[in-house]
């Protein structure tokens, strides 16, 4: 058989000649229409063609004195035509047939200035041959530059027109990539094999491209900078940034931008950050920071310093402006970011004496802003202005008369119903300090006593949420319960102390003074409440003194895992995103030393979360890699879920596609099927195999997809499709987690598509899925007062009137939707969604971690875990202040934010706007701008507290 086959595929040697003949015939036949075209040319065109052909002939003559004038004339003719690029320029069209002859002619000339000019002209003509001769434009440009004497450099590429520069920029990127590749794969030597296989028409395509032999990398870089300068001057900022990024010299753009171009360049670079690989994204942020710093745009520079999480940069930017009002504005930005106060004291580089002096020089007004001391006052005033000062009763939230319930539940005074009432009342009236059930209840008739045992803990703690941020009045209200004889009430009071100090600092350190002594109490509820209270009160503060109080609780083997895990979580809150080596080391040591039976407990996930919170947003740093490797060495199955936690936290909000894929891969494992087969094979090892069915890591992998994707709109939208697949094909543990992930992707941002998906899941046959979907509806609508969502929840209250757990969750969700009467949000992104609050992410993750096993935590006696949302809670407002820091009402337009990066001109940044007087509430996707130019804002984004300055030119305009 093989012999006939060989004969069948043999190719006669005459074939290629026939093909050549056909090609020649084809070319001959093609020439005729061309001649006709020539006849149809206008007189002007014929004259131009004749002139060009004459100039080409002149270059072929032996008289060298004719070369220079001919070349100059050619250059002038081409330049005058390339200024407009609506069609192919006529000179290029007519010179195209002569290009091969000119190339041959060029090779014969000896190096001179004339030859350099010739090369420059060929460089332009090469654009017409770019398909057959790759990077010809760049080659001749480099050759032309190499032959010029230093005294008369080559003319700017911009003189040949915009299209030429764009063409050159594209070829520069291509050439640089080829040179980079040529350096790397020297180890792989497989040309003989590949040569043997290429015996067909595909040979030409497979042929690898070779880098040009002319010009060094420095030549490429200097040419790229010239092109970038031209592009920046001609409103092509994105092209300039892309070119310098391809050639890996993006940092040099700082010297090219000016007052007109820096805004568009920096905006484009920041928009690119989510789409770049790990090292490049930081380089882009640092370069954009340098641009803002050079142009003295302090708020923008500080925003990027916070994103980079660089203490030295933050301190430098904070102390850079000489204007006292600008410094106050920066202090408001830092207070919102909850930047550790000691970062502003001294440079981590070491000059502590200098740092202490700086601290002493900080005026009281700046300290007050950085401590968030007046947040409560401003918030209450804001509530008064927008008409939500009066307390909301439970009935105002539930609106039971609108429920489609089949049996009346209004008069049932159950413990579960009262417990739900506790949370609804706390969330709905958060921050206003005037609710009727707790703060303003008459002595002895407090809502606390309508709850049982651990219900009293949550009820007492709800007092802290009602008085959120109000440290002065709040502590006096809570104080009376700290002396209660009832253990749970006392524990609730400790938690309330921590809650009301969340996000607010003070010189007195009241929370530490009140809670510090109780972290070694023998009573577990008192101890855990004091520990979590400290975690709340000092979240994001990086306070070393509190670390040394809590570390012994983590490492002590004698203590229950519950206390150790919650202490680790508190440390995670306090040192969120700090990569603190000491805290990480102790938690890892505890994981290694604890008995396997102890690590099987439900609390292990919180121990892992405490470790993971230390790495929020750090990406692939050395300490992160070391932690992951250490976790791999831990034999217990819990190590897998903690690895997922640490990985997803490190890349939180980055939109990193590879991490999302890695999480999806983990979700794709079907553990139950694997274990079932192994059990069938080995009956003797059945008992040993059973504990290995721990699938908690898959629940965290689902949350991980949401956590990584939520920082970037396109990624977040794409993740919805993945969640849909997971819901269809995933195991129960995955299906249970999908609603939570949807909540995380769109916290405080009730998009209709997501509400519809969650509404469908809330009627799922699996009650665990339904329960999580109902809670996710609360997260998605948190603090929005969304009427459609409120209606959905009222329908669910009727649907689940016989399911106590689901009804309890519906009530909680209703409380969340009306959080702070619609003035407080929990979305971790702020300042025009530019910065991710690490403390807020920590709060959301802790809450969702409790919901990975709702039956064991929030539906058991640990319902106080709903308060993990408190660090994520922050008012969604815009308050304009005058130079005395007093509210200054001005007219603003509020509308949906529009992405205008890279758009030409000055497009509108908001759409569908309405005009209001400040203060105003801003939804997650909304943006505000001043309606008139009467005042100039110190901040670049109108959000939170904004200082205004009277525009000196305004009165003059009015008089005119």
């Amino acid at each position: 058989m093989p012999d006939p086959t060989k004969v069948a595929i043999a190719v006669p040697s005459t074939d290629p000649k026939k093909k050549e003949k056909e090609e020649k015939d084809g070319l001959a036949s093609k020439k005729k229409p061309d001649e006709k075209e020539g006849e149809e040319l206008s007189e002007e065109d014929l004259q131009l063609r004749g002139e060009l052909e004459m100039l080409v002939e002149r270059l072929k003559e032996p008289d060298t004195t004719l070369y220079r004038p001919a070349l100059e004339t050619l250059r002038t003719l081409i330049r005058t035509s390339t200024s407009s690029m609506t069609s192919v320029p006529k000179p290029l069209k007519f010179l195209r047939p002569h290009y091969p002859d000119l190339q041959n002619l060029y090779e014969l000339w000896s190096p001179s200035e004339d030859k350099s000019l010739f090369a420059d002209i060929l460089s332009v003509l090469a654009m017409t041959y770019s398909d057959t001769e790759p990077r010809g434009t760049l080659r001749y440009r480099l050759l032309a530059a190499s032959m010029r004497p230093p005294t008369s450099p080559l003319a700017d590429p911009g003189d040949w027109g915009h299209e030429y520069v764009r063409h050159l920029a594209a070829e520069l990127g291509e050439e640089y990539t080829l040179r980079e590749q040529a350096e790397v794969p020297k180890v792989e030597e497989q040309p003989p094999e590949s040569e043997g296989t290429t015996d067909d028409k595909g040979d030409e395509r497979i042929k690898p491209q070779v880098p040009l032999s002319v010009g060094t990398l420095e030549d490429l870089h200097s040419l790229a900078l010239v092109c970038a300068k031209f592009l920046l001057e001609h409103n092509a900022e994105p092209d300039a940034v892309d070119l310098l990024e391809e050639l890996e010299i993006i940092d040099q753009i700082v010297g090219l931008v000016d007052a007109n171009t820096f805004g568009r360049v920096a905006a484009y670079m920041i928009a690119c950050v989510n789409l770049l690989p790990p090292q490049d994204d930081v380089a882009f942020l640092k370069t954009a920071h340098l641009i803002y710093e050079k142009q003295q745009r302090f708020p923008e520079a500080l925003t990027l310093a916070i994103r980079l999480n660089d203490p030295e940069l933050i301190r430098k930017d904070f102390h850079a402006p000489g204007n006292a009002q600008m410094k106050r504005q920066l202090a408001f930005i830092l207070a919102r970011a909850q930047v550790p106060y000691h970062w502003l004291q001294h440079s981590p580089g070491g000059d502590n004496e200098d740092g202490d002096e700086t601290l002493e020089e900080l005026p009281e007004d700046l300290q007050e802003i950085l401590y968030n001391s007046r947040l409560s006052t401003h918030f209450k005033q804001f509530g008064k202005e927008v008409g939500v000062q009066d307390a909301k009763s439970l009935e105002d939230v539930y609106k039971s008369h609108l429920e489609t319930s089949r049996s009346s539940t209004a008069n049932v005074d159950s413990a579960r119903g009262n417990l739900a009432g506790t949370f609804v009342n706390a969330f709905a009236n958060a921050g206003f300090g005037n609710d009727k059930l707790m703060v303003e209840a008459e002595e002895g008739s407090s809502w606390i006593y309508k709850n049982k045992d651990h219900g009293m803990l949550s009820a007492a703690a709800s007092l802290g949420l009602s008085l959120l941020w109000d440290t002065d009045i709040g502590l006096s209200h809570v104080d009376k319960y700290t002396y209660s004889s009832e253990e749970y009430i006392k524990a609730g009071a400790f938690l309330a102390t921590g809650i009301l100090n969340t996000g607010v600092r003070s010189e007195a350190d009241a929370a530490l003074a009140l809670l510090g002594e109780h972290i070694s109490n023998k009573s577990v509820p008192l101890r855990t409440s004091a520990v979590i209270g400290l975690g709340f009160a000092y979240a994001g503060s990086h306070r070393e003194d509190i670390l040394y109080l809590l570390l012994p609780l983590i490492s002590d083997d004698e203590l229950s895992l519950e206390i150790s895990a919650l202490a680790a979580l508190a440390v995670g809150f306090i040192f969120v995103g700090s990569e603190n080596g000491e805290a990480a080391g102790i938690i890892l040591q505890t994981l290694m030393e604890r008995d396997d039976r102890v690590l099987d407990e439900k609390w292990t996930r919180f121990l892992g979360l405490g470790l993971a919170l230390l790495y929020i947003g750090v990406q692939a740093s050395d300490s992160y890699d070391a932690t992951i490797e250490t976790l791999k060495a831990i034999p217990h199955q819990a190590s897998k879920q903690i690895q997922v936690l640490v990985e997803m936290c490190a890349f939180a909000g980055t939109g990193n596609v590879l991490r999302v894929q890695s999480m999806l891969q983990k979700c794709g494992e079907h553990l139950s099927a694997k274990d079932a087969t192994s059990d069938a094979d080995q009956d003797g090892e059945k008992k040993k195999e059973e504990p290995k069915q721990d699938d908690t890591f898959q629940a965290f992998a689902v949350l991980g997809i949401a956590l990584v994707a939520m920082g970037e709109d396109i990624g977040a939208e794409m993740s919805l499709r993945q969640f849909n697949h997971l819901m269809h094909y995933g195991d129960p543990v995955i299906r249970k987690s999908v609603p939570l992930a949807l909540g995380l992707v769109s916290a405080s941002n009730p998009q209709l598509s997501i509400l519809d998906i969650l509404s469908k899941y809330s009627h799922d046959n699996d009650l665990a899925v339904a329960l999580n979907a109902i809670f996710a509806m609360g997260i998605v609508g948190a603090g929005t007062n969304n009427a459609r969502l409120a209606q959905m929840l009222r329908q669910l209250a009727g649907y689940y009137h016989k399911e106590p757990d689901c009804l309890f969750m519906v009530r909680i969700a209703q409380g969340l939707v009306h959080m702070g009467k619609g003035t407080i949000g929990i979305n971790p992104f702020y300042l025009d969604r530019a910065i991710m609050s690490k403390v807020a992410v920590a709060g959301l993750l802790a809450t969702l971690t409790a919901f990975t096993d709702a039956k064991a935590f929030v539906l058991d006696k640990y319902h106080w875990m709903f308060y993990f949302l408190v660090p994520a809670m922050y008012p969604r407002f815009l308050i304009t202040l005058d130079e005395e820091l007093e509210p200054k009402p001005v007219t603003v337009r509020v509308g949906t934010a529009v992405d205008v990066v890279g758009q030409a001109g000055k497009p509108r940044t908001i759409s569908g706007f309405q005009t209001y007087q400040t203060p105003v509430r801003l939804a997650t996707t909304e943006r505000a701008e001043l309606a008139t130019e009467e005042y100039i804002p110190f901040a670049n984004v109108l959000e939170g507290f904004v200082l205004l300055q009277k525009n000196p030119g305004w009165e003059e305009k009015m008089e005119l």
Side-chain angles (χ1 to χ4, degrees), residues 848-864:
L848 297 178
T849 301
F851 270 87
T852 53
D853 191 354
K855 283 257 185 269
F857 293 110
V858 287
L859 297 177
D860 194 23
K861 58 183 181 180
Y862 302 103
H863 33 72
W864 55 264

Side-chain angles (χ1 to χ4, degrees), residues 642-826:
I642 298 169
Q643 278 176 50
V644 174
L645 272 167
V646 174
E647 183 182 352
M648 76 191 209
C649 282
F651 292 87
T654 58
N656 188 306
V657 182
L658 296 176
R659 301 294 157 175
V660 172
Q661 286 175 346
S662 127
M663 296 291 167
L664 278 169
Q665 205 170 358
K666 290 179 174 72
C667 295
E669 294 176 26
H670 290 285
L671 297 181
S672 50
K674 275 188 204 171
D675 286 344
T677 52
S678 63
D679 285 355
D681 294 346
Q682 300 169 335
D683 291 337
E685 288 180 24
K686 203 169 190 179
K687 284 175 189 174
K688 287 180 191 174
E689 290 289 333
E690 273 170 16
K692 288 191 180 175
Q693 287 190 3
D694 180 43
D695 51 10
T696 321
F697 75 92
Q698 291 188 314
F700 290 123
V702 177
L703 291 178
I705 296 168
L707 188 64
V708 175
M710 72 179 178
E712 184 236 337
D713 293 338
I714 297 167
E717 211 171 308
M718 286 166 67
S719 69
L720 300 184
R721 186 179 172 85
Q722 303 300 338
F723 293 141
N724 189 22
H725 292 324
L726 292 173
M727 202 65 183
H728 278 294
Y729 307 113
D731 291 338
V733 68
I734 291 172
R735 294 187 78 249
K736 192 171 68 174
S737 306
V738 167
L740 300 176
L742 286 167
L744 184 58
V745 155
S746 192
S748 282
N749 183 15
Q751 300 169 52
L752 281 178
S753 56
I754 290 181
L755 288 185
D756 288 342
I757 294 167
L758 288 173
S759 178
K760 186 174 79 178
Y761 294 162
S762 65
H763 295 81
D764 199 272
N765 293 333
D766 183 350
L767 279 184
V769 174
L771 197 87
N772 285 358
I774 296 165
F775 179 67
M777 287 165 92
I779 293 284
V780 168
T784 60
N785 279 355
N786 188 287
R788 184 189 174 111
L789 185 50
Q791 175 58 25
M792 283 179 181
L793 291 169
R794 280 195 294 276
Q795 287 173 347
L796 283 169
Y799 184 78
Y800 283 120
H801 72 285
K802 286 185 177 174
E803 282 288 345
D805 285 347
C806 290
L807 183 60
F808 172 70
M809 205 53 71
V810 170
R811 296 302 182 210
I812 299 288
Q814 285 177 312
L816 289 174
V817 170
H818 295 89
M819 185 186 279
K821 297 170 216 167
T823 57
I824 296 175
I826 57 170

Side-chain angles (χ1 to χ4, degrees), residues 51 110 150 164 193 369 377 443 474 649 879 896:
E51 194 178 342
S110 55
Y164 175 75
E193 285 180 38
I369 294 167
T377 316
E443 197 65 45
C649 282
I879 296 178
T896 308

Side-chain angles (χ1 to χ4, degrees), residues 315 345-347 350-360:
R315 179 178 176 273
Q345 286 176 275
H346 61 87
S347 160
D351 201 349
N352 287 344
E353 286 176 23
D354 252 340
D356 293 340
E357 280 169 29
T358 319
L359 174 65
E360 284 164 21

Side-chain angles (χ1 to χ4, degrees), residues 306 309-311 314 337-346 348 505 534-548 550 570-583 613-616 618 838-839 842:
I306 294 168
N309 201 31
D310 186 330
I314 290 171
Q338 296 183 33
V339 166
Y341 187 70
H342 64 267
W343 281 9
L344 308 173
Q345 286 176 275
H346 61 87
R505 310 268 183 269
L534 282 174
F536 283 163
Y538 296 99
S541 68
H542 298 195
R543 287 272 297 268
E544 295 281 343
D545 52 341
I546 302 168
L547 176 68
Y548 297 123
L550 294 173
V571 167
F573 272 126
I574 295 165
F575 286 87
V576 63
S578 68
E579 300 182 74
N580 186 294
E582 208 167 341
L613 293 182
L614 300 173
Y615 295 97
I616 280 188
V618 301
K838 295 182 177 183
V839 175

Side-chain angles (χ1 to χ4, degrees), residues 454-532:
H454 44 79
M456 287 178 163
L457 191 157
S458 289
S462 74
L463 191 60
L465 190 47
S466 226
L467 296 156
L468 192 60
W469 308 309
D470 191 349
T471 47
D472 303 334
I473 299 168
L475 289 171
S476 60
H477 271 285
V478 173
D479 190 53
K480 59 188 175 195
Y481 294 111
T482 57
Y483 302 107
S484 171
S485 56
E486 182 63 55
E487 185 183 50
Y488 284 111
I489 296 178
K490 199 172 177 181
F494 291 164
L495 196 53
T497 306
I499 288 170
L500 67 85
N501 279 290
T502 305
V504 182
R505 310 268 183 269
S506 69
E507 284 289 326
D509 259 355
L512 182 57
L514 294 167
L515 303 176
E517 60 189 281
H518 294 285
I519 60 165
S520 52
N521 198 305
K522 284 181 182 172
S523 157
V524 172
L526 290 177
R527 201 172 201 173
T528 52
S529 296
V531 165
I532 291 297

Side-chain angles (χ1 to χ4, degrees), residues 142-281:
L142 292 170
L143 285 168
S146 65
M147 283 182 276
R148 300 295 291 197
T151 47
S152 64
L154 198 61
D156 201 64
D159 294 350
W160 292 110
H162 198 274
E163 196 60 32
Y164 175 75
V165 176
R166 287 186 59 190
H167 201 93
L168 199 55
E171 292 191 357
L172 271 167
E174 229 177 285
E175 175 65 19
Y176 186 79
T177 311
L178 282 172
R179 291 194 184 193
E180 288 288 291
Q181 287 169 354
E183 285 175 24
V184 181
K186 285 179 182 173
V187 189
E188 300 172 29
E189 289 182 14
Q190 295 171 330
E193 285 180 38
S194 57
E195 274 171 24
T197 52
T198 52
D199 57 349
D200 57 356
K201 285 188 281 184
D203 189 21
E204 282 177 33
R205 284 185 214 158
I206 296 167
K207 207 173 188 179
Q209 290 194 339
V210 183
L212 299 174
S213 55
V214 287
T216 60
L217 278 180
E218 285 74 24
D219 295 337
L220 295 183
H221 286 162
S222 54
L223 183 54
L225 289 170
V226 174
C227 291
K229 192 177 178 186
F230 175 86
L231 291 166
L232 287 171
E233 286 167 2
H234 292 77
N235 303 318
E237 292 89 351
D239 293 346
V241 172
D242 292 345
L243 172 61
L244 296 185
E245 156 62 6
E246 271 192 289
L247 270 73
E248 297 177 3
I249 49 168
I250 192 64
D251 52 326
Q252 297 198 32
I253 202 167
V254 180
L256 302 177
V257 295
D258 56 22
N260 299 320
T261 55
F262 82 91
R264 287 163 60 82
V265 168
Y268 179 72
M269 288 179 72
I270 293 163
C272 290
V273 168
N274 285 327
L275 311 169
L276 292 168
Q279 267 63 45
D280 291 357
D281 55 359

